[in-house]
Amino acid sequence: VVVAGRGRRGARTVRDLARVALVRAPRGPLLSRLASGILDAAFEASSPLPCLPPPASAGRDLLVVPAPGAVAPGNQSIEGVACLVALAEATRAERIFEIGTYNGLTALALAANLPHVRIDTLDLPPDLVPELPLAESDELHLSRAASRRYEGRPEADRITQHLGDSARFDFSPFAGAIDLVYVDGAHSREYVENDTNAAFRMVKPDGAIVWDDYSRLVPDVPALLHGLAGVPLHRVRSTRLVVWLGGELRRRLQAGTLW
Ligand SMILES: C[S@@+](CC[C@H](N)C(=O)[O-])C[C@H]1O[C@@H](n2cnc3c(N)ncnc32)[C@H](O)[C@@H]1O
């Protein structure tokens, strides 16, 4: 049995898929882990997006990542944090904008790894009803948190929390000023489109944009990203991230010197 797709990975055997499945879904009954891993692998195999080369360590020996017990459902994975840090380094980032603070753990990890970076991060205020429709999974991860993980830590001096609905937030003070935009707010088509437009307004010409939740389980994200005609995008293996690279980074990618 093979899963054939349009992706760069071509066809894979059941043994490959089962191995990937068990790594991806380390908990739960064996059969459902296998089934979910096989569906994930089939999604990847059919993706039209090419993969970025795996992020290199850019000369760094250490990476600060969230402790396993601190990671909540909805937080970025450790591989995802590593990729965000590598991209921030590739853009020589001074400013990052995150849409979707949640518990602040990813903002904290980015600030801890990137001591010269300032992070602006946007989330809904506690009682605001979002203006646009939400995806089903968004209800589970709406942050109504009274505090964020970075509060009280030295990194907090470089993190600015903004409260608002991304559909109404005034992004204009950030226009063309952000090196790395991380889009991880609501995941309905309407919000991904709204936040994608905001990201392209904020990002510097040589910056980068990263979307989370490129997954079969969050169908509006791949649907919207696949529909961005003429916008070169890459996915990042072993994560749910998709990346757009600005001009200089694209040239480096083609020359094999991105990382
Ligand atoms: C998946 S969590 C973000 C996880 C976080 N970026 C991380 O890496 O750990 C999604 C966040 O987006 C926020 N959110 C949802 N809709 C939003 C909106 N319309 N405007 C701003 N934030 C929104 C939610 O409250 C939630 O905290």
Side-chain angles (χ1 to χ4, degrees):
V1 180
V2 295
V3 175
R6 286 178 294 148
R8 297 269 159 107
R9 306 184 81 162
R12 302 168 99 189
T13 66
V14 157
R15 194 162 24 147
D16 288 343
L17 293 174
R19 199 173 48 231
V20 174
L22 294 176
V23 171
R24 293 276 173 76
R27 282 179 288 280
L30 182 66
L31 272 180
S32 74
R33 287 160 60 199
L34 277 173
S36 117
I38 287 172
L39 290 172
D40 286 348
F43 169 80
E44 284 182 22
S46 67
S47 169
L49 305 186
C51 279
L52 272 191
S57 60
R60 84 169 40 235
D61 293 322
L62 294 174
L63 183 70
V64 180
V65 292
V71 177
N75 273 137
Q76 188 48 257
S77 68
I78 287 172
E79 292 80 3
V81 168
C83 176
L84 287 165
V85 170
L87 279 167
E89 284 179 334
T91 62
R92 297 195 177 82
E94 294 173 350
R95 297 192 71 178
I96 294 177
F97 197 110
E98 175 186 47
I99 302 180
T101 316
Y102 194 43
N103 57 13
L105 196 59
T106 299
L108 171 59
L110 293 174
N113 283 292
L114 302 160
H116 305 297
V117 161
R118 278 165 53 210
I119 300 170
D120 290 274
T121 178
L122 172 68
D123 211 302
L124 294 165
D127 296 320
L128 192 75
V129 177
E131 179 168 305
L132 301 176
L134 295 176
E136 218 173 291
S137 59
D138 288 330
E139 305 285 355
L140 299 173
H141 300 134
L142 282 189
S143 169
R144 304 303 194 189
S147 67
R148 314 280 184 202
R149 297 282 172 79
Y150 50 75
E151 286 173 15
R153 298 184 54 106
E155 292 86 354
D157 294 349
R158 291 181 287 113
I159 302 175
T160 304
Q161 176 76 69
H162 303 274
L163 292 178
D165 181 344
S166 64
R168 302 190 68 97
F169 185 72
D170 179 12
F171 289 99
S172 61
F174 305 95
I178 302 295
D179 301 285
L180 178 65
V181 184
Y182 171 35
V183 180
D184 192 18
H187 298 88
S188 61
R189 194 181 174 96
E190 291 83 349
Y191 267 111
V192 184
E193 185 168 27
N194 175 82
D195 297 354
T196 297
N197 290 335
F200 277 108
R201 285 198 300 275
M202 286 192 283
V203 73
K204 288 181 183 172
D206 289 332
I209 302 175
V210 180
W211 292 260
D212 192 27
D213 292 299
Y214 179 75
S215 157
R216 68 182 172 87
L217 299 173
V218 196
D220 280 4
V221 176
L224 191 284
L225 294 179
H226 293 166
L228 292 181
V231 178
L233 297 175
H234 289 79
R235 64 193 171 88
V236 183
R237 221 182 284 271
S238 307
T239 73
R240 294 169 155 214
L241 301 182
V242 163
V243 176
W244 172 87
L245 301 172
E248 174 57 22
L249 296 175
R250 268 207 304 282
R251 277 190 288 281
R252 279 166 45 193
L253 177 65
Q254 276 157 12
T257 56
L258 174 62
W259 306 120

